[in-house]
Amino acid sequence: MQFSTGHVGRHSLRAIIERPELELIGLHAASPTKVGRDAAELCGLAEPTGVVATDDLTALVGLKADCVVYTSQAETRPDVALQELTAFLTAGTNVVGTSLVWLVYPPHADAWLRDPLERACVEGNSTMYINGIDPGFSGDLLPLAALSLVERADHVLVQEICDYGTYDDAEFTGVSFGFGTPPEQVPTLFLPGVLRSIWGGPVQLLADELGIPLDEIRERVERWTATEPIDCTMMHVDPGRVAAVRFAVEGIVDGRTVITMEHVNRLTQAAAPEWPFPPEGRSGVHRVVVAGRPGVEINTHVGLHGTDHNEAGVIATAMKAVNAIPVVCAAPAGLVSLRDLPVSQVRGLMR
Ligand SMILES: NC(=O)c1ccc[n+]([C@@H]2O[C@H](COP(=O)([O-])OP(=O)(O)OC[C@H]3O[C@@H](n4cnc5c(N)ncnc54)[C@H](OP(=O)(O)O)[C@@H]3O)[C@@H](O)[C@H]2O)c1
């Protein structure tokens, strides 16, 4: 079952329809313009599926699907998302999703979010897993792959360096990152504790995997304002308004930064020339650099052969959820992270 057909959801819906081992039995749409339309139409496929979008949550829960892929916008309306998710979990339907990004590492999440979901998992003997490209892949699978190659690690740096100019998401990403706003206006993402609540999870996950007790998780933020007008897919930015952000969440031991998860996001490659850029003139990278012996750097570029890097990031995010369906359905009940699942989630991909 697929829940929502937004930026991420239309890709997961398409994957569910096209994968021979998966069967779409229901589709949720909140938008009145989508309700009643065939699932195929909502993700750009020609052949109708016979499954039409509905906003009837009770009917969808009653279908008792093995799993729901939940990609509805949840950070701006967590109360509604919690109601929807607990309804599925209590009924015994497993959840894989990209929403509620605080849950990439459930032990780090606040009790108001974790407790009702955990109770629902116990009641329904169901499992829930949240992931994406960042937070998600870049902070769990990617650094774990790099760390598997080293004798000794002194510092782990995870970075998303990405030009968001082509990302058509002014409403959520644009607003929450504060693009286009005066620098004195603090957007949601940079209110104290918000970065830690999102990227602190992956930092803590890595620390727990490494077996190091962190003394503290710190956050830092810098913003860069446009020197001339910028026009990009995301928005128009006037001079003096924010056009690039650099922020990080850091794990500290004995006063030393041991894990850094950093973002550098611009709306044009001309912005913030003094900040790091992706290698080889690319527009985006998800990378890890492990300092130590022998030292490892892995640069991940999603989107080859003309696929835009932002669109590719959205597809990759959707696939982190869809690809996890079999292992999540087979996992013990509860809120899980990559630590609880088989690392390999690729069965059925080669077609
Ligand atoms: N970890 C990562 O790497 C990563 C990357 C990208 C996104 N995400 C997360 O994934 C989730 C989906 O992202 P997205 O870019 O696909 O979001 P989106 O396109 O902005 O919204 C997804 C869907 O949420 C529903 N929705 C939005 N506002 C609503 C409202 N006020 N009332 C009811 N429904 C509403 C709509 O469903 P209908 O289409 O059914 O109307 C919409 O299509 C978000 O929570 C985002 O934070 C994570």
Side-chain angles (χ1 to χ4, degrees):
M1 181 178 300
Q2 171 63 38
F3 201 108
S4 101
T5 54
H7 292 108
V8 177
R10 63 179 194 274
H11 295 292
S12 46
L13 175 61
R14 193 184 171 112
I16 295 169
I17 294 170
E18 291 194 322
R19 295 241 175 123
E21 74 278 17
L22 299 177
E23 183 193 359
L24 180 74
I25 64 164
L27 172 63
H28 185 276
S31 162
T33 62
K34 294 181 178 177
V35 171
R37 288 165 67 189
D38 191 278
E41 191 191 339
L42 293 174
C43 64
L45 291 174
E47 183 90 9
T49 61
V51 175
V52 294
T54 174
D55 59 1
D56 187 340
L57 177 69
T58 310
L60 289 171
V61 170
L63 291 176
K64 300 265 182 190
D66 293 332
C67 191
V68 58
V69 180
Y70 189 91
T71 58
S72 190
Q73 168 46 243
E75 288 82 21
T76 54
R77 34 182 222 110
D79 293 352
V80 179
L82 265 180
Q83 279 169 24
E84 293 166 346
L85 289 163
T86 52
F88 282 109
L89 291 167
T90 306
T93 294
N94 300 297
V95 175
V96 296
T98 64
S99 315
L100 294 176
V101 291
W102 305 287
L103 285 166
V104 166
Y105 190 42
H108 184 78
D110 287 348
W112 67 264
L113 183 62
R114 211 181 49 221
D115 290 354
L117 292 166
E118 266 171 356
R119 277 196 300 273
C121 287
V122 170
E123 212 176 314
N125 190 29
S126 50
T127 308
M128 175 165 156
Y129 175 60
I130 299 298
N131 212 267
I133 190 164
D134 188 315
F137 166 83
S138 65
D140 56 29
L141 192 52
L142 181 64
L144 290 177
L147 284 163
S148 72
L149 302 174
V150 308
E151 178 207 325
R152 189 198 72 240
D154 300 329
H155 177 250
V156 182
L157 169 66
V158 169
Q159 284 178 314
E160 176 187 289
I161 309 175
C162 198
D163 183 340
Y164 278 176
T166 61
Y167 194 11
D168 188 12
D169 188 23
E171 300 79 22
F172 179 60
T173 305
V175 169
S176 53
F177 282 58
F179 288 124
T181 62
E184 57 277 10
Q185 194 174 311
V186 181
T188 339
L189 194 61
F190 303 145
L191 293 172
V194 175
L195 290 177
R196 188 166 41 237
S197 74
I198 301 173
W199 283 276
V203 168
Q204 189 63 58
L205 181 150
L206 218 47
D208 289 350
E209 275 297 308
L210 287 161
I212 46 167
L214 296 176
D215 297 331
E216 196 189 342
I217 296 181
R218 285 186 198 150
E219 8 176 80
R220 61 175 158 82
V221 181
E222 286 174 80
R223 283 175 290 167
W224 186 90
T225 50
T227 47
E228 45 192 271
I230 295 168
D231 272 304
C232 59
T233 306
M234 189 181 281
M235 63 173 65
H236 170 86
V237 181
D238 286 323
R241 302 295 174 101
V242 174
V245 298
R246 182 180 189 177
F247 60 85
V249 175
E250 299 173 328
I252 313 290
V253 177
D254 292 335
R256 188 166 72 88
T257 304
V258 291
I259 299 168
T260 304
M261 303 234 172
E262 182 177 59
H263 267 234
V264 177
N265 298 117
R266 311 173 154 81
L267 293 187
T268 161
Q269 292 292 73
E274 65 282 15
W275 293 351
F277 283 89
E280 299 160 10
R282 304 248 193 180
S283 301
V285 67
H286 290 91
R287 67 196 294 261
V288 60
V289 181
V290 179
R293 187 180 143 81
V296 180
E297 173 178 331
I298 305 177
N299 293 306
T300 312
H301 303 289
V302 287
L304 305 179
H305 316 302
T307 304
D308 172 75
H309 62 287
N310 285 314
E311 177 72 353
V314 172
I315 297 171
T317 293
M319 295 316 122
K320 287 299 294 179
V322 175
N323 292 342
I325 291 173
V327 296
V328 168
C329 287
L335 297 184
V336 298
S337 73
L338 186 66
R339 297 188 81 199
D340 309 295
L341 298 174
V343 164
S344 173
Q345 300 169 9
V346 299
R347 187 165 291 273
L349 294 188
M350 190 70 83
R351 291 202 296 276

